[in-house]
Amino acid sequence: MVDALTGVGAGVGAKLAPLEIPVTRTLIVSGAIASRDYQDVHHDAELAKEKGSPDIFMNILTTNGLVGRYITDHFGPASVLRKVAIRLGAPNYPGDTMVLTGTVTEVEDGSGVPDGGGATVVVRIIGVNGLGTHVTGTVTVTLPSLASPANPTSTPSRPSASGRPA
């Protein structure tokens, strides 16, 4: 059930569908490279072992990106992440699976926003793997207005013969 005012399914207490992410060596290394984190514990298994880790492990920036993806996959590409606050726990090692879950903790309808923006939603995030809790935190996201053309549930304008909106 979607709230007609906010566009948020079921409001406070709503559960987001879980997202299972296979933690591969490629994901860990590519995430570290993409975030310019060249610490050896994120790409060199032998050096990671010398430093006391059983293997390479995911960096916080990759986890942060996956949390953001989880939220925008749920709320849509027009949603805007306003704040992501996370804390890491158990490491993500290759061969494991991280499961992200979320619960809506706050919803502000956005009716007081001058530009007619949509709801602002706060989601409590938890990501677990085989060792325990990898990440906890909250994400604040603004949704497009239900009347916004960016909202895929609004009625799209019909294209003209040129293919552009009429």
Side-chain angles (χ1 to χ4, degrees):
M1 178 175 152
V2 174
D3 181 293
L5 183 61
T6 65
V8 177
V12 173
K15 306 279 187 204
L16 280 61
L19 174 64
E20 290 188 12
I21 300 169
V23 181
T24 64
R25 195 167 295 281
T26 301
L27 175 62
I28 293 169
V29 173
S30 61
I33 291 169
S35 61
R36 295 181 163 189
D37 184 347
Y38 303 118
Q39 291 187 49
D40 50 24
V41 295
H42 303 307
H43 65 84
D44 188 319
E46 293 308 313
L47 289 174
K49 288 175 186 174
E50 285 178 21
K51 294 182 176 183
S53 178
D55 205 340
I56 62 171
F57 54 90
M58 187 177 286
N59 72 357
I60 192 169
L61 296 171
T62 303
T63 299
N64 198 58
L66 292 170
V67 165
R69 170 195 159 195
Y70 177 57
I71 295 298
T72 58
D73 280 359
H74 179 79
F75 289 108
S79 59
V80 178
L81 299 177
R82 297 295 180 185
K83 180 179 179 184
V84 178
I86 62 171
R87 171 169 275 170
L88 293 184
N92 267 339
Y93 291 119
D96 208 341
T97 298
M98 177 174 64
V99 180
L100 290 169
T101 57
T103 304
V104 174
T105 60
E106 296 177 42
V107 177
E108 184 178 313
D109 70 21
S111 61
V113 178
D115 67 357
T120 297
V121 179
V122 178
V123 180
R124 176 83 176 140
I125 299 292
I126 299 173
V128 298
N129 60 30
L131 296 174
T133 302
H134 170 67
V135 63
T136 58
T138 57
V139 178
T140 303
V141 59
T142 301
L143 310 181
S145 166
L146 290 179
S148 166
N151 187 333
T153 60
S154 64
T155 305
S157 59
R158 293 184 58 192
S160 66
S162 68
R164 293 188 201 114

